[in-house]
Amino acid sequence: MARWQPNAPQRLALAALELFEERGYDQTSVIDIAERAGLTKSTFFRHFRDKREVLFGGETMSDLVTAAIAGAPAAASPLEAVAAAMDAAGREAFTPERRDFSLRRRAVIAAHPELQERDALKGLAITAAMTTALERRGVAPLTATVTAQLASLAAAIAYERWSAPANTADYSTTARRALHEVRSAAAG
Amino acid sequence: MARWQPNAPQRLALAALELFEERGYDQTSVIDIAERAGLTKSTFFRHFRDKREVLFGGETMSDLVTAAIAGAPAAASPLEAVAAAMDAAGREAFTPERRDFSLRRRAVIAAHPELQERDALKGLAITAAMTTALERRGVAPLTATVTAQLASLAAAIAYERWSAPANTADYSTTARRALHEVRSAAAG
């Protein structure tokens, strides 16, 4: 769990990233990506609904935060529950081995409007998943929505800081710090 | 300013809404919309970049909130500045005459994934415009971002409440109340 294994979705994502960097997003097809990863087109579509999705991991992150929020101790506050989701993201997705990939991924997304659009929509989908997961814990809808929004904002800030070249801190620490800052700004 | 005049963008939006309701989004072309509005296709594209955009008013809302935040008194807090933007939205966009249109518009958006996607991206663009406008007032970046996020959330809640059939309150009052609730939930 803790170490990044080169399984199919990750091999496809890495192959796509390389190709997008080498020849550009528009000049890369799903078949090119599958071939580079040594996999088939149908394997690609088993994991991702389209070319854009390959850098966004399908439902992985939504599922991960949903499970972590559901699994937080019953006594945990809404904020503690989302912090637990950030710890899980650091353990299972944003591991030290993924930092270089994440930095390159950010650069590719920033260069392509259609990837920026998917990135934005993905962020909203993850926020919605967090909101639902908090409501299932009995958190009032408005508190769940606001907590999920602040957590998403903190996660975006943390991802940028964590994947920056000079960073040495792990994702979980970076994210908890960002959550604290966002929380203070919201209360202040 | 205060009353809704049937100018070109609004005539096009109303024509589009009618056609989307009557025959569906996919079965309606830009030419159909322009014809129904008694305008030309080139007039359509002067106001909207594509068919999806016709229900989202181009840059109108971003421009409106940017101007209102810039025009708020120098002594206004970030929260007071975004509340001023909500007042402006109530005066210039979400007037009582627009309520019926807004309710129908919401129903059409809810029925079409491509319109929901544009709606979501539009919300992010308006949030970004608010963030920039607050930063130009000298608000610290994190405070600007968090304030804009909370204001956007409040605006979304307010739009839903304001356009609900049973509502009698004006948009500005509804939005300021929602902003207060969101703010309390964030601080609590």
Side-chain angles (χ1 to χ4, degrees), chain A:
Chain A
M1 272 307 241
R3 289 194 66 84
W4 181 50
Q5 296 297 333
N7 58 15
Q10 285 164 336
R11 275 162 66 188
L12 289 162
L14 185 58
L17 185 63
E18 286 173 5
L19 290 164
F20 296 166
E21 287 172 341
E22 287 166 21
R23 56 175 96 155
Y25 175 82
D26 289 328
Q27 284 69 49
T28 301
S29 71
V30 166
I31 294 176
D32 296 334
I33 296 167
E35 271 178 10
R36 173 72 65 102
L39 297 165
T40 62
K41 194 176 124 183
S42 64
T43 300
F44 182 98
F45 286 113
R46 225 176 0 257
H47 294 288
F48 307 110
R49 64 186 149 117
D50 56 27
K51 186 173 74 168
R52 284 211 269 183
E53 191 62 24
V54 68
L55 293 185
F56 298 96
E59 303 310 310
T60 312
M61 189 52 71
S62 285
D63 292 347
L64 190 155
V65 301
T66 297
I69 290 172
S77 70
L79 213 65
E80 286 163 351
V82 296
M86 287 165 162
D87 293 342
R91 270 195 317 273
E92 297 176 36
F94 306 142
T95 54
E97 298 85 348
R98 293 301 300 267
R99 273 194 56 232
D100 172 62
F101 173 88
S102 300
L103 179 61
R104 289 164 60 195
R105 174 183 174 275
R106 270 178 56 203
V108 167
I109 292 171
H112 295 90
E114 53 273 78
L115 293 175
Q116 287 178 275
E117 199 169 285
R118 180 63 57 90
D119 195 32
L121 293 169
K122 207 75 194 176
L124 294 174
I126 296 167
T127 308
M130 282 200 278
T131 305
T132 305
L134 287 168
E135 287 180 354
R136 284 203 195 117
R137 292 176 61 86
V139 177
L142 184 62
T143 304
T145 306
V146 169
T147 305
Q149 290 266 358
L150 296 178
S152 288
L153 184 55
I157 293 168
Y159 186 73
E160 195 175 320
R161 290 180 185 167
W162 169 74
S163 62
N167 173 54
T168 52
D170 65 24
Y171 178 79
S172 170
T173 306
T174 309
R176 281 179 171 264
R177 192 171 297 147
L179 188 60
H180 179 75
E181 289 173 31
V182 165
R183 187 63 178 62
S184 302

Side-chain angles (χ1 to χ4, degrees), chain B residues 11-12 15 31-41 43:
Chain B
R11 276 162 65 188
L12 288 161
I31 295 177
D32 296 333
I33 296 167
E35 271 178 10
R36 172 72 63 103
L39 297 165
T40 62
K41 194 176 124 182
T43 300

Side-chain angles (χ1 to χ4, degrees), chain B residues 13-80:
Chain B
L14 185 58
L17 184 63
E18 286 173 5
L19 289 164
F20 296 166
E21 286 172 341
E22 286 165 22
R23 56 174 96 153
Y25 175 81
D26 289 328
Q27 283 69 48
T28 302
S29 71
V30 165
I31 295 177
D32 296 333
I33 296 167
E35 271 178 10
R36 172 72 63 103
L39 297 165
T40 62
K41 194 176 124 182
S42 63
T43 300
F44 182 98
F45 286 114
R46 226 176 359 257
H47 294 288
F48 307 111
R49 65 186 148 116
D50 56 28
K51 185 173 74 167
R52 283 210 271 184
E53 191 63 22
V54 68
L55 293 186
F56 298 97
E59 302 310 309
T60 312
M61 190 51 72
S62 285
D63 292 348
L64 190 156
V65 301
T66 297
I69 291 171
S77 71
L79 212 65
E80 286 164 350

